[in-house]
Amino acid sequence: MRVRLFYKIFALALFSVVVSISVMLLTVGYFGYFNFQDYLVKSKIHELSWLTDKLGEYYKENGSFEAIRLSAEERMPFSEPLGMKPFGKGDGGNRRPDMFPGGVADGRIRPLKEKDYEPFGRLKEDMLTADGKLNVMAFVHFRHFIMLQDADKKIVIGVGNVNEFHFISIISDGATVGYLGIRKPPKMTQPMAAEFVREQVEITLVSAVIIIAITGLLTWFFTKRLLAPVPPLIIATRKLASRDFSVEIRDMSNDELGDLAANFRKMAYDLSMYEQKQNRWISDISHELRTPLSVLLGNIEAMQDGVRNINSDSLNILHVEVSRLIKLVNELHEMTMVDSDNMRFSFGSVQICRIAEDAVELYRSRAEEFGFQIRTMIHNGETKVRGDVYRLRQVFINLIENALRHSKSPGVIFISCSEQNGSVLVTVEDTGPGVPEKSLGMLFDRLYRADISRSRETGGSGLGLAICKYIVEKHNGTIRAVCGSMGGLRIEIELPAEGENE
């Protein structure tokens, strides 16, 4: 089943909110419960600050808590030794009737009732005598709720495990003389406390429902706005797949989706330009192939009909046209290697200026035949570059042929090679007519021709300079076209010297 991206993002955002709120609820419930228990203990500790003060005064007057311990041993049931948990129901038979005074001050005796286990309900009333003194005998009555330890943490009075009590220090004259233990509430059994926690959970639940509802609406709204650029991109992609490059996508956001839309527009434009170049290239290649083939066919038919004699002149014409076809096919083959980045190189230490000089000598006689003079200013030093001799010679031959092909005769072709600032600069310049300045940046694009008709007449395929650029860049160099000082075009190649290239 196909699920739209909108619903996926919306569900993910909403799920994250629900999980977060659920974790918050569990955290609030859990820590709220225990924090409230701690709050009850701390509140009782605060309430019993008077008792620690009274115990400190008692210790100062008597020097110990021994009297309290002896009183406890005398009055506590035999079944409840110090530090042990009390018996449950059925232990009343072991109790003496004077063990549980309900109101020690008035001397009346009554058994403990359930309400007396409500911690500290009658503590201050029973612990203090009428004149505000500490009534040590009352400790027996509250032995389940408070525990008294001496300075060595030995139990003076109290029933239960020490881990069930929270202890606070008893101070006398700046020294700790004992510890007063207050029993921790085992569970939240008090109706008021339980009601408090229940109300807090209900409030949190209602708040969570409201938050989820508001978050859902906001998530829906912002998700739709976030994904607003996506539908136009889908439509544009379908048009692009059908080779319709006239797609238009307006800027809808200033984020990654906006960048995606901008890059998509650029891709559509580049594909459109590429298709135009490809169509022009097919037209140019068709023309380049048609011209020599037509010449070959015409001459061969003329020889077959006896109109033209088979001699050296007619064979030379056929040879020129075949050579032109071979050159074009070779350039097409090299262009495919450039596209696939599979052109082979054999790098070594080479003298770049000597390679340029060899290429000049190869074309000097041919240039003179067409009315051109080749002038050179080649550095005679031993400057070397890391390069492929065959490929560098191919670059210089292409540039010299390009200058001969596109310059008016008579003319001059000037070639220089010199070292400067750790690199080698090679230039090839002609006397014109040159190239319009607006076309200089596109000369190295494959299939580009500044003057289409003249290029066809002179046999250019529009691939030579693109191949030259690829070879130079593989040598970590740069190649550029500028307007020359002699009125024509100057091609500049800069390659790093061998020491710099390493």
Side-chain angles (χ1 to χ4, degrees):
M1 184 179 69
R2 184 174 180 269
V3 181
R4 290 178 56 192
L5 181 61
F6 169 81
Y7 295 113
K8 290 181 180 180
I9 296 178
F10 175 75
L12 178 62
L14 197 59
F15 175 75
S16 301
V17 172
V18 171
V19 170
S20 301
I21 292 178
S22 301
V23 172
M24 181 189 70
L25 284 173
L26 292 174
T27 305
V28 169
Y30 180 81
F31 288 101
Y33 174 83
F34 288 102
N35 288 342
F36 194 76
Q37 297 287 83
D38 292 340
Y39 166 76
L40 293 178
V41 173
K42 291 177 181 179
S43 65
K44 291 303 178 183
I45 291 174
H46 179 72
E47 292 176 10
L48 291 180
S49 60
W50 62 270
L51 182 55
T52 57
D53 295 340
K54 290 294 182 180
L55 287 169
E57 294 174 1
Y58 179 87
Y59 186 90
K60 185 175 181 180
E61 293 176 0
N62 297 276
S64 70
F65 298 119
E66 185 67 15
I68 298 177
R69 185 182 66 79
L70 293 174
S71 176
E73 290 180 353
E74 177 185 351
R75 301 177 64 82
M76 281 184 64
F78 299 110
S79 60
E80 292 185 4
L82 293 177
M84 298 298 291
K85 290 186 177 181
F87 287 159
K89 295 181 179 180
D91 64 343
N94 295 323
R95 294 171 176 166
R96 296 203 308 265
D98 60 341
M99 290 295 178
F100 307 101
V104 177
D106 56 18
R108 288 181 300 169
I109 299 174
R110 64 172 173 82
L112 283 174
K113 296 180 179 180
E114 184 178 354
K115 66 177 183 178
D116 292 315
Y117 284 90
E118 184 78 19
F120 323 113
R122 300 171 52 86
L123 185 63
K124 194 167 186 178
E125 177 184 348
D126 292 346
M127 277 289 184
L128 296 179
T129 61
D131 58 354
K133 296 291 186 177
L134 188 65
N135 188 348
V136 296
M137 292 185 294
F139 274 99
V140 176
H141 180 72
F142 294 99
R143 65 190 180 277
H144 300 298
F145 308 125
I146 61 176
M147 179 179 287
L148 180 61
Q149 294 180 342
D150 60 15
D152 296 327
K153 295 190 176 182
K154 293 181 179 179
I155 298 176
V156 177
I157 187 171
V159 176
N161 193 319
V162 293
N163 294 326
E164 298 175 353
F165 290 80
H166 183 87
F167 289 91
I168 52 178
S169 300
I170 301 172
I171 308 298
S172 177
D173 291 335
T176 300
V177 297
Y179 301 92
L180 178 65
I182 303 169
R183 183 180 291 277
K184 302 174 184 177
K187 287 186 178 179
M188 195 174 293
T189 56
Q190 299 181 20
M192 183 179 296
E195 179 67 16
F196 172 79
V197 173
R198 186 184 64 79
E199 289 178 356
Q200 297 304 310
V201 172
E202 288 180 355
I203 292 173
T204 307
L205 283 173
V206 173
S207 301
V209 172
I210 295 174
I211 291 174
I212 291 175
I214 295 175
T215 304
L217 293 175
L218 292 177
T219 303
W220 183 278
F221 174 74
F222 285 110
T223 302
K224 288 186 70 69
R225 286 189 60 85
L226 175 67
L227 298 179
V230 174
L233 281 174
I234 295 175
I235 296 173
T237 304
R238 291 171 181 167
K239 289 184 177 180
L240 205 61
S242 61
R243 303 181 69 84
D244 181 4
F245 302 113
S246 61
V247 294
E248 293 184 2
I249 303 176
R250 61 185 181 89
D251 292 329
M252 303 184 68
S253 59
N254 191 24
D255 53 15
E256 288 81 358
L257 287 175
D259 294 339
L260 177 62
N263 292 332
F264 190 90
R265 285 195 302 271
K266 184 177 183 302
M267 179 184 69
Y269 174 79
D270 292 342
L271 288 175
S272 176
M273 293 297 100
Y274 179 79
E275 186 177 50
Q276 293 179 18
K277 290 181 179 180
Q278 186 180 43
N279 292 336
R280 187 175 64 188
W281 178 77
I282 293 174
S283 175
D284 291 345
I285 294 301
S286 299
H287 178 85
E288 296 295 337
L289 291 173
R290 188 185 304 113
T291 300
L293 289 174
S294 297
V295 173
L296 285 173
L297 180 62
N299 280 277
I300 291 173
E301 289 178 347
M303 292 177 189
Q304 289 176 336
D305 295 338
V307 177
R308 181 182 291 274
N309 296 326
I310 303 176
N311 51 35
S312 59
D313 292 337
S314 58
L315 291 177
N316 284 336
I317 294 173
L318 297 179
H319 181 267
V320 169
E321 297 303 325
V322 170
S323 299
R324 185 178 178 183
L325 279 174
I326 291 175
K327 182 177 183 300
L328 179 60
V329 171
N330 287 337
E331 286 185 345
L332 288 173
H333 175 66
E334 289 186 341
M335 205 67 233
T336 59
M337 290 193 295
V338 169
D339 288 336
S340 60
D341 198 23
N342 286 327
M343 184 177 285
R344 294 183 179 180
F345 292 87
S346 180
F347 289 97
S349 180
V350 298
Q351 294 182 358
I352 183 69
C353 293
R354 183 170 297 177
I355 297 175
E357 190 172 13
D358 292 343
V360 169
E361 295 304 321
L362 184 65
Y363 276 86
R364 189 179 294 277
S365 59
R366 180 181 172 185
E368 292 176 354
E369 290 178 4
F370 287 96
F372 289 96
Q373 293 183 0
I374 297 183
R375 299 176 184 174
T376 61
M377 187 173 67
I378 297 178
H379 180 63
N380 292 324
E382 298 297 324
T383 303
K384 295 182 179 181
V385 299
R386 189 77 177 168
D388 184 317
V389 176
Y390 173 77
R391 295 300 179 186
L392 290 175
R393 182 182 291 113
Q394 179 182 356
V395 169
F396 297 140
I397 288 174
N398 278 340
L399 295 180
I400 294 173
E401 282 189 351
N402 191 69
L404 292 173
R405 185 181 301 118
H406 298 296
S407 298
K408 289 184 178 181
S409 177
V412 176
I413 298 175
F414 180 73
I415 300 171
S416 69
C417 181
S418 61
E419 181 181 3
Q420 55 182 19
N421 300 326
S423 61
V424 179
L425 180 65
V426 181
T427 66
V428 178
E429 184 177 354
D430 57 56
T431 52
V435 175
E437 189 172 354
K438 65 179 181 179
S439 300
L440 292 175
M442 296 180 285
L443 284 180
F444 299 99
D445 294 345
R446 64 190 64 188
L447 312 175
Y448 180 78
R449 294 175 174 182
D451 187 342
I452 297 177
S453 60
R454 190 170 64 87
S455 296
R456 285 176 176 170
E457 291 172 0
T458 52
S461 64
L463 298 175
L465 289 179
I467 296 172
C468 288
K469 181 181 179 182
Y470 175 80
I471 294 174
V472 171
E473 289 179 348
K474 281 295 182 179
H475 285 75
N476 296 323
T478 59
I479 183 171
R480 55 187 174 272
V482 297
C483 294
S485 58
M486 297 188 299
L489 178 69
R490 181 168 76 243
I491 303 295
E492 298 179 350
I493 298 174
E494 188 171 358
L495 298 172
E498 189 170 27
E500 299 294 329
N501 198 25
E502 296 174 354

